[in-house]
Amino acid sequence: MRLTEEERAMLAGTEGPAVQKAMQIIVALAEIYEAVELVPVASAQIAGVSYKNLGDAGLEFLEEWAALGARACVPAFMNPAGMDLERWREMGIAPTFARQQQRVVETLGSMGVALTCTCTPYLVGYVPQAGEHLAWSESSAVSFANSVLAARSNREGGPSALAAAITGRTAAYGLHLSENRGPTHVIEVRCPVRSEADFGALGYLVGLQVADGVPYFRFRGEGSLDRVPNQERLMALGAAMAASGAVALYHMERVTPEARRGVALGTVLRVDDAALPTIDVSDLSEGYAALNSPLDEIDFVSLGCPHSTLADIDRVATLLDGRRVRATLWITTSRQVRSLAEQRRLVERIEAAGGKVFADTCLVVAPMEEMGFKAMATNSAKAAFYSPTHSGLERRFGTTEQCVEAAITGRWTGSSDHLGA
Ligand code: F3S
C-alpha cells in the first residue's frame, strides 16, 4: 500500500499518540480491504454516540483517546445521541443514563466533533459536493450522501469515522472507487409509489433482494413517476434499503446525479448490460405485511426516522391543528431543524395537541425498552424494521396521515395496504 510521507509520519507517531492510533486503525482497514492508498476526506460523521450502544467500555475508549490529545482535523459531526440533550427528563430518561450520555457528547466535543446529533447532517449545513470523499457512518446518511449528492463514502464504523476525522484520511476502497459505483441490479418498478411510506416499503423489499448491491431504479407503466421524488421520499427509500440490505448507494433513472451524469462524475454505468439481473416490483403489499404486526391499540407514535425535515414537521402540525393526541407522539429531528420549526411556531402547534418534538435523538438509539411502551406506529420502514429488536416494540407501519390518526385515536385504523394509504 502506498502512503505519502505525511501519512508515514503520522503512523510513526511524529504527530503524537492520538494521531498514531487513528492512523493505525485506518491502515489496518486499508489492509483488510486491500486498498492501495488512502484518500483525503472532506468530513466525518461519527456514529456510536448513544450511550445505549456505547456502554461504559465505549465511553472509556473515547475518553482514553481524547486524553491522548485526539482532535478532528476536518469537519466532524455527531450522529443522534440516546436522548434530547436538553429535554431528556420529558422523555423519561433515567438520570444515570443522562449523566453517561452527557460524558459521551462532552468527550466527542473535546475532540472537535460538532454537537449536531443528527443522521441528516446534509439538512443542517454539512452538504457534501459531488465527488468528495467522506467518512460517514450512519447508514441512511451514507445512502443520501452517495446516492442523492454523489459524494463518496463507505459506511464507516464509529471508531473508523473518528480515526478519519483525526487523520483527515480514509482507505480508498469500496464506494470511493468509480468502478464500484455502477449498478449491480436493475429495479423495474411497475406499481404506483405514492407516499414516503410507499418509498420505504419499496426500499425494504429491494434491500432484501440486492443485499449490499447497487440498485438502479426505473419506473415503468403504472409505476411511472409523475414527479421527481422529493428529498423526504429519497431519504425514506435509502434508509429502508440501508436497513434491510446494507445498501449504501442507489441510482434512479433521470433523478439521481450519477444516473444523469454518471460518466461525467466518473461512475461506470452499465445499465443496459444484459448481464445485470433485473428485479420487477409490481406490488408493495409484501413489504407492508412484513413491517406490520397485527396490532389494534397504539400507545406510541414515532415520526422522524431519518430525522424530520421542516416540511415533515409542518405537515404534522397541520394534521394536528385543533386536535389532541391520546397516544404518546414523538417527532425526532436535529436541533437546528427544531429551532427553525420553533421560529415558525410549528413546535408550539404540535405540542399544544400533546405531541413532542425532540431533538438530538431517535427511537432506535434511545433506551425505549425502559419506557414501558408496547405498540408503536411509524411512517418509517427503517424504524419499523428495527423496532422489535432495538426498541422492544411491536409496530404498525404506514403513512404520516395514518400515524397521526393513530396518535389521536390510540388505535390503528388505517389499511396496511399501500393502495389504502
Ligand atoms: Fe436516523 Fe435514528 Fe433513523 S439515526 S435514520 S432516526 S434510526
Side-chain angles (χ1 to χ4, degrees):
M1 187 182 46
R2 290 191 300 272
L3 291 182
T4 64
E5 207 172 304
E6 188 188 1
E7 289 160 357
R8 277 201 300 276
M10 289 186 203
L11 192 58
T14 312
E15 296 190 26
V19 174
Q20 183 179 34
K21 178 174 170 167
M23 194 48 113
Q24 284 166 346
I25 292 172
I26 301 286
V27 168
L29 282 172
E31 283 169 354
I32 290 168
Y33 290 105
E34 299 180 349
V36 296
E37 62 183 353
L38 308 184
V39 283
V41 294
S43 63
Q45 190 234 8
I46 319 293
V49 174
S50 169
Y51 176 68
K52 169 180 163 175
N53 300 331
L54 266 184
D56 288 328
L59 172 56
E60 278 162 31
F61 172 82
L62 289 179
E63 287 179 336
E64 280 166 20
W65 211 351
L68 292 175
R71 185 116 199 123
C73 70
V74 294
F77 26 88
M78 296 180 213
N79 204 43
M83 62 186 201
D84 187 308
L85 296 173
E86 291 174 4
R87 301 175 71 192
W88 53 269
R89 283 187 189 79
E90 287 176 60
M91 290 177 68
I93 298 283
T96 43
F97 182 97
R99 261 195 304 279
Q100 297 301 80
Q101 182 61 73
Q102 285 293 359
R103 270 174 68 184
V104 174
V105 296
E106 279 163 23
T107 305
L108 286 169
S110 75
M111 294 193 236
V113 181
L115 198 71
T116 49
C117 292
T118 185
C119 53
T120 57
Y122 47 86
L123 296 180
V124 300
Y126 296 99
V127 188
Q129 300 295 303
E132 269 183 354
H133 295 282
L134 316 173
W136 285 22
S137 37
E138 196 285 316
S139 64
S140 76
V142 170
S143 168
F144 195 89
N146 275 319
S147 314
V148 182
L149 303 175
R152 297 185 170 206
S153 183
N154 291 318
R155 184 179 172 184
E156 300 277 351
S160 69
L162 190 53
I166 294 164
T167 58
R169 308 284 199 286
T170 194
Y173 70 96
L175 295 178
H176 291 288
L177 307 178
S178 298
E179 61 265 32
N180 296 329
R181 296 180 65 86
T184 58
H185 297 74
V186 174
I187 314 296
E188 302 266 1
V189 183
R190 299 183 179 279
C191 55
V193 188
R194 294 174 181 150
S195 63
E196 280 134 48
D198 279 356
F199 274 87
L202 173 64
Y204 166 78
L205 289 172
V206 171
L208 290 179
Q209 295 188 68
V210 309
D212 222 7
V214 181
Y216 183 97
F217 286 88
R218 282 173 165 162
F219 290 78
R220 293 283 183 266
E222 278 271 308
S224 298
L225 285 175
D226 51 349
R227 59 188 166 105
V228 174
N230 60 16
Q231 80 177 344
E232 288 79 6
R233 292 177 178 200
L234 296 174
M235 286 160 66
L237 177 72
M241 276 191 291
S244 67
V247 172
L249 166 64
Y250 65 88
H251 303 294
M252 193 179 287
E253 191 172 61
R254 291 196 291 273
V255 174
T256 57
E258 282 162 293
R260 286 186 283 114
R261 298 183 289 133
V263 176
L265 293 169
T267 300
V268 185
L269 290 177
R270 300 177 310 274
V271 183
D272 293 320
D273 185 336
L276 278 186
T278 298
I279 297 169
D280 279 340
V281 181
S282 49
D283 185 9
L284 302 178
S285 56
E286 212 178 298
Y288 278 97
L291 295 170
N292 266 279
S293 318
L295 300 168
D296 292 328
E297 297 198 0
I298 299 293
D299 59 357
F300 177 64
V301 178
S302 170
L303 305 173
C305 170
H307 270 174
S308 291
T309 65
L310 196 57
D312 288 330
I313 297 174
D314 195 334
R315 195 154 130 221
V316 177
T318 303
L319 289 168
L320 282 173
D321 273 340
R323 309 186 75 183
R324 179 108 203 128
V325 296
R326 184 186 290 244
T328 299
L329 167 66
W330 288 3
I331 295 119
T332 49
T333 188
S334 61
R335 188 154 291 281
Q336 289 90 330
V337 169
R338 187 185 192 281
S339 155
L340 289 173
E342 262 172 344
Q343 286 166 29
R344 297 182 188 205
R345 310 193 73 171
L346 304 176
V347 174
E348 191 180 306
R349 283 161 58 195
I350 291 169
E351 300 204 345
K356 296 280 183 195
V357 183
F358 287 125
D360 313 318
T361 189
C362 74
L363 91 156
V364 175
V365 299
M368 299 304 300
E369 55 289 348
E370 291 166 19
M371 295 184 194
F373 298 117
K374 289 190 176 57
M376 174 185 80
T378 182
N379 62 354
S380 162
K382 178 177 177 178
F385 180 81
Y386 282 123
S387 58
T389 50
H390 286 54
S391 311
L393 290 165
E394 288 307 322
R395 75 289 199 229
R396 281 288 187 179
F397 162 61
T399 61
T400 304
E401 288 74 9
Q402 287 173 311
C403 290
V404 170
E405 203 53 36
I408 291 165
T409 60
R411 297 186 65 76
W412 186 259
T413 49
S415 163
S416 59
D417 181 332
H418 73 286
L419 295 176

